[in-house]
Amino acid sequence: VLGGLEAIRTLQRAGYKPVRSIELLLFTSEEPTRFGIGCLGSRLLSGELTAAADTALQDANGNSLQEVRTSAGFSGTLDSVRMPGGYYSAFLELHIEQGPLLEQRGISIGAVTAIAAPSSLRVIIEGQGGHAGGVLMPDRRDAFMAAAEIALALETLARSTGSIDTVATCGVCNVFPGLVNGIPSRVTLELDVRDIDGARRDNLLKNFHNEAAEIAARRGVHIRFEPINQDAPAPCDPALVDAVVRASEKHGISCQRMISRAYHDSLFMTRICPVGMIFIPCRDGVSHRPDEYTWPEAIEHGVTILAAVLARQSAA
Amino acid sequence: VLGGLEAIRTLQRAGYKPVRSIELLLFTSEEPTRFGIGCLGSRLLSGELTAAADTALQDANGNSLQEVRTSAGFSGTLDSVRMPGGYYSAFLELHIEQGPLLEQRGISIGAVTAIAAPSSLRVIIEGQGGHAGGVLMPDRRDAFMAAAEIALALETLARSTGSIDTVATCGVCNVFPGLVNGIPSRVTLELDVRDIDGARRDNLLKNFHNEAAEIAARRGVHIRFEPINQDAPAPCDPALVDAVVRASEKHGISCQRMISRAYHDSLFMTRICPVGMIFIPCRDGVSHRPDEYTWPEAIEHGVTILAAVLARQSAA
């Protein structure tokens, strides 16, 4: 957001007069998954999410999106957020890579060609609880041990698709009752699977469902899958990708084409307009951590290219 | 506790006059593990836990036992709880089995010969966090996947000691940051290992430490073990075991000798006096769950034997 503001100010300071207006968009709730999915703002703006979400989406305490937003002072209907198709001629997003490739290769700009989309799902495993001392090992239906095996099966599947672009993560594991002396009776896992190739991702998920069901049956636990989110991967606009590459060449800044493994508001903006993304390196590929960092020079490179492409796209 | 009260009332109603006094003990905090260990009352009474625990024991919020008990109105020193050795000539505890054996075999009374003791420990695994989309599988140091493999290694070890008396449980798994789109950077497991044979239990723990360290090294994560608790198993007093068996025979109630896989305040009472335990069946071997249940007739059998043994032990 600040990079976009700086790019606009740079163009203003240079005396540039756009033919098409340039707007700075600040999306709400790109990151928080309080309601199970991120990118609430861009999902609503693009029509990916409809007014039904107002009551359908609930947080862990059972509060609906409508209740939460109303109590935070956001009135009006969700439908009113939707932007008509054709309103924007292009959408550009500047972001850190959130991966190690640019830094490792010493390249300053990534011209994003496509955005991998996550499929996230919740796996609820119900076994049989009991006292940790009282139930013999052969009689156990331990929900956590089943969950551990299921999580490892997911990892093995992700590592064996033959493509480096497949990633899978189990970021949430809630154990009930969660006592050192109690056999877990219920475990909830939340899984995230991503790939630039939607068919390969969906095939992995199909195999995962089968393997998890087999593990559950063998261990005598009940398993249930709840989809959280399943978005299609999206290509960036080839003309905008080219524009990023050419602007980099013109400014003597190194650039390579690459995919985005993380997803962004841009993913949803592809539903209503051509989209381009500009990546800059980040230290050790780290993000979503307190030590997330990129360098002032890297930011300057990113803003320079953003301003250049904005100027080109708004010139006619 | 109510069974003990009923046994005493039964003896009173029968006009029985004991030579030795009969006391009913109500221990505090047998079950809660707020401070990492259960049986706080009997540990203090038996001197297993000293006054140092007052500041050494802290809950998850960093509040010490001293702060918590003081704010709950319990003043005085912990040392004053300790009971001198020789004060009791015998201690008896009536309990549900918390296992399936009595019910499966249709036996009404278990005469406990020994109490298995848990060794519990905390395993802290530190990996590398990051965005679920941004870090490629070969570059990951996922703390949760390491934890899953470590938990399964524990289960395999417990199943392969050659004895049905070995049990191991992982009842706590806390994942940080705990986001569906974030690779876990830190996982805390809490494990409970029990055996009636202390040497076999400790051997399992030694093997577990080695295997867990090997898994951590292979996955590039850091691992650290923190003991929570390691009590020695304890035998019941043979004369009291015999007294339970003989009382059952006299009342025509079926009885068998057995071990207690769960531990109890009795474990700590063995430090200061002879101990006996009386088990009754519970439905499906279930305990520590809302559907924990035993039958009125089973309770009656237990109270009958408890009263009989109390009468015998207090008669001279």
Side-chain angles (χ1 to χ4, degrees):
Chain A
V1 168
L2 293 179
L5 187 61
E6 182 61 17
I8 290 171
R9 286 180 173 164
T10 301
L11 294 176
Q12 286 174 328
R13 279 194 298 265
Y16 173 76
K17 298 285 179 203
V19 175
R20 299 172 188 268
S21 298
I22 302 176
E23 288 185 2
L24 180 66
L25 294 188
L26 285 74
F27 294 109
T28 191
S29 298
E30 193 268 358
E31 204 57 73
T33 49
R34 175 169 178 176
F35 296 99
I37 52 175
C39 295
L40 284 185
S42 54
R43 284 179 195 271
L44 288 164
L45 191 88
S46 67
E48 178 80 14
L49 210 61
T50 62
D54 223 7
T55 49
L57 293 182
Q58 301 198 340
D59 68 10
N61 298 321
N63 300 313
S64 70
L65 173 58
Q66 185 167 43
E67 289 164 343
V68 172
R69 73 179 179 91
T70 304
S71 76
F74 295 95
S75 57
T77 66
L78 290 192
D79 278 333
S80 66
V81 179
R82 187 168 187 168
M83 192 64 83
Y87 180 85
Y88 292 115
S89 66
F91 174 79
L92 284 164
E93 186 172 356
L94 173 63
H95 210 286
I96 57 168
E97 179 197 342
Q98 301 184 275
L101 302 182
L102 290 176
E103 185 191 19
Q104 284 171 4
R105 296 172 189 171
I107 290 176
S108 300
I109 295 290
V112 176
T113 55
I115 304 164
S119 179
S120 52
L121 72 156
R122 197 172 287 117
V123 182
I124 299 111
I125 300 153
E126 307 244 17
Q128 196 154 27
H131 189 286
V135 186
L136 303 185
M137 296 307 284
D139 299 333
R140 293 196 176 195
R141 298 173 172 207
D142 184 325
F144 178 68
M145 290 298 174
E149 205 175 334
I150 286 166
L152 290 169
L154 178 73
E155 185 192 44
T156 302
L157 284 169
R159 284 174 180 269
S160 56
T161 62
S163 168
I164 197 73
D165 291 333
T166 318
V167 289
T169 308
C170 178
V172 175
C173 174
N174 293 324
V175 178
F176 182 85
L179 301 171
V180 64
N181 56 351
I183 299 167
S185 60
R186 188 174 70 242
V187 171
T188 304
L189 300 177
E190 289 186 9
L191 311 174
D192 175 299
V193 179
R194 298 173 193 227
D195 203 310
I196 193 65
D197 181 330
R200 192 167 55 208
R201 182 192 73 181
D202 293 344
N203 187 52
L204 183 156
L205 283 166
K206 199 187 70 186
N207 290 336
F208 172 70
H209 274 72
N210 292 340
E211 286 201 23
E214 186 275 322
I215 291 166
R218 175 161 43 77
R219 286 182 170 268
V221 301
H222 181 255
I223 191 167
R224 177 167 110 241
F225 303 90
E226 281 180 4
I228 300 174
N229 183 35
Q230 185 155 4
D231 301 304
C236 288
D237 180 65
L240 287 169
V241 179
D242 287 345
V244 172
V245 172
R246 278 198 303 273
S248 301
E249 287 168 359
K250 190 177 152 199
H251 285 82
I253 297 173
S254 57
C255 174
Q256 73 164 59
R257 292 166 195 262
M258 64 190 307
I259 65 161
S260 169
R261 289 192 179 77
Y263 82 120
H264 303 277
D265 290 312
S266 284
L267 178 66
F268 301 102
M269 293 304 285
T270 63
R271 281 37 163 173
I272 55 167
C273 66
V275 164
M277 281 198 79
I278 301 165
F279 273 179
I280 59 173
C282 54
R283 191 174 59 193
D284 296 330
V286 161
S287 68
H288 287 206
R289 279 186 7 198
D291 55 336
E292 175 177 314
Y293 181 76
T294 186
W295 304 265
E297 317 86 78
I299 296 170
E300 189 186 339
H301 289 148
V303 170
T304 299
I305 302 306
L306 178 60
V309 180
L310 283 175
R312 183 184 178 282
Q313 295 304 120
S314 59
Chain B
V1 169
L2 293 178
L5 187 61
E6 182 61 17
I8 290 171
R9 286 178 173 164
T10 300
L11 294 175
Q12 287 175 328
R13 279 194 298 265
Y16 174 77
K17 298 284 180 203
V19 175
R20 297 173 189 269
S21 298
I22 302 177
E23 288 184 3
L24 180 65
L25 294 188
L26 285 73
F27 293 108
T28 191
S29 298
E30 193 268 359
E31 204 57 75
T33 51
R34 174 169 178 176
F35 296 99
I37 54 175
C39 295
L40 283 186
S42 54
R43 283 179 197 270
L44 286 165
L45 192 87
S46 66
E48 177 80 15
L49 209 61
T50 62
D54 223 8
T55 49
L57 292 182
Q58 302 199 340
D59 69 10
N61 297 322
N63 298 314
S64 70
L65 174 57
Q66 187 168 43
E67 289 164 342
V68 172
R69 72 179 180 89
T70 304
S71 75
F74 295 96
S75 56
T77 66
L78 291 190
D79 278 334
S80 65
V81 179
R82 187 167 188 169
M83 192 63 84
Y87 182 85
Y88 292 115
S89 67
F91 175 79
L92 284 163
E93 186 172 357
L94 173 63
H95 211 285
I96 58 168
E97 180 196 342
Q98 302 184 275
L101 302 180
L102 290 177
E103 185 190 20
Q104 284 171 5
R105 296 172 189 172
I107 291 177
S108 299
I109 294 290
V112 176
T113 55
I115 304 165
S119 179
S120 52
L121 71 156
R122 197 172 287 118
V123 182
I124 299 111
I125 300 153
E126 306 244 17
Q128 195 155 28
H131 190 285
V135 185
L136 304 184
M137 297 306 284
D139 298 332
R140 294 195 177 196
R141 298 172 173 207
D142 184 324
F144 179 68
M145 291 299 174
E149 204 175 336
I150 287 166
L152 290 168
L154 178 73
E155 185 192 43
T156 302
L157 284 169
R159 285 174 179 270
S160 55
T161 63
S163 168
I164 198 73
D165 291 332
T166 317
V167 290
T169 308
C170 178
V172 174
C173 173
N174 293 323
V175 179
F176 182 84
L179 302 171
V180 65
N181 56 352
I183 300 167
S185 60
R186 188 175 68 243
V187 172
T188 305
L189 300 176
E190 289 186 11
L191 311 175
D192 176 298
V193 179
R194 296 172 195 229
D195 203 309
I196 192 67
D197 181 332
R200 193 167 54 210
R201 182 193 74 180
D202 293 344
N203 188 52
L204 184 156
L205 283 167
K206 198 187 70 186
N207 290 336
F208 171 70
H209 274 71
N210 292 340
E211 285 200 24
E214 185 274 322
I215 291 165
R218 176 162 41 76
R219 286 182 170 269
V221 301
H222 181 254
I223 191 167
R224 173 166 112 242
F225 304 91
E226 281 180 2
I228 300 175
N229 184 35
Q230 184 154 2
D231 300 305
C236 288
D237 180 65
L240 287 169
V241 179
D242 288 346
V244 171
V245 172
R246 279 199 302 272
S248 301
E249 286 168 0
K250 190 177 153 199
H251 285 83
I253 297 172
S254 58
C255 173
Q256 73 164 58
R257 291 165 195 261
M258 65 191 305
I259 64 161
S260 169
R261 288 192 178 78
Y263 79 120
H264 303 278
D265 289 314
S266 285
L267 178 66
F268 301 102
M269 292 305 283
T270 63
R271 279 38 162 175
I272 56 167
C273 66
V275 164
M277 280 200 81
I278 301 164
F279 272 179
I280 58 174
C282 54
R283 190 174 60 194
D284 296 330
V286 160
S287 68
H288 286 207
R289 279 185 9 197
D291 56 335
E292 173 177 317
Y293 181 77
T294 187
W295 304 265
E297 318 86 79
I299 296 169
E300 189 186 338
H301 289 148
V303 170
T304 299
I305 302 306
L306 177 60
V309 179
L310 283 176
R312 183 185 178 281
Q313 296 303 121
S314 60

